[in-house]
Amino acid sequence: MLILQRKLGESLVIGEDVRVTVVSIEGGRVRLAVSAPAEVSILRSELLDTKLANQDSAVEESAPAELLGLLGEMPVSQKQTTPKGEQDHG
């Protein structure tokens, strides 16, 4: 990890296309401006962590066909039935 000190208005360049500039410093908060090509994804780290956690959860979910298979194995008393007078159109 590289640790740098930058003053208000100073920048750092990552690769050839990404520039990070210190826009303001207020109390304990620093505002940064990031200039990068449109194809470069820029996310706050907490959003990236959430995105990765959601992807992991989606992988762990069962496929719809697998869930339907489980329903087919349920005893008849536990299957959802259509109320009298209504037809099942599915």
Side-chain angles (χ1 to χ4, degrees), residues 9-28:
E10 293 183 334
S11 300
L12 62 104
V13 178
I14 301 171
E16 295 180 14
D17 299 336
V18 179
R19 179 179 295 268
V20 180
T21 304
V22 178
V23 177
S24 69
I25 304 169
E26 297 172 10

Side-chain angles (χ1 to χ4, degrees), residues 8-80:
L8 185 62
E10 293 183 334
S11 300
L12 62 104
V13 178
I14 301 171
E16 295 180 14
D17 299 336
V18 179
R19 179 179 295 268
V20 180
T21 304
V22 178
V23 177
S24 69
I25 304 169
E26 297 172 10
R29 299 188 79 147
V30 177
R31 293 185 71 195
L32 303 173
V34 180
S35 174
E39 64 270 8
V40 174
S41 176
I42 301 171
L43 290 174
R44 296 189 322 252
S45 61
E46 63 272 17
L47 293 179
L48 180 59
D49 294 343
T50 301
K51 177 183 173 183
L52 294 174
N54 286 337
Q55 286 175 343
D56 288 345
S57 294
V59 169
E60 292 173 5
E61 291 180 11
S62 299
E66 184 179 336
L67 293 174
L68 288 173
L70 291 173
L71 288 174
E73 297 171 11
M74 288 175 51
V76 175
S77 63
Q78 290 184 1
K79 286 188 181 179
Q80 195 172 29

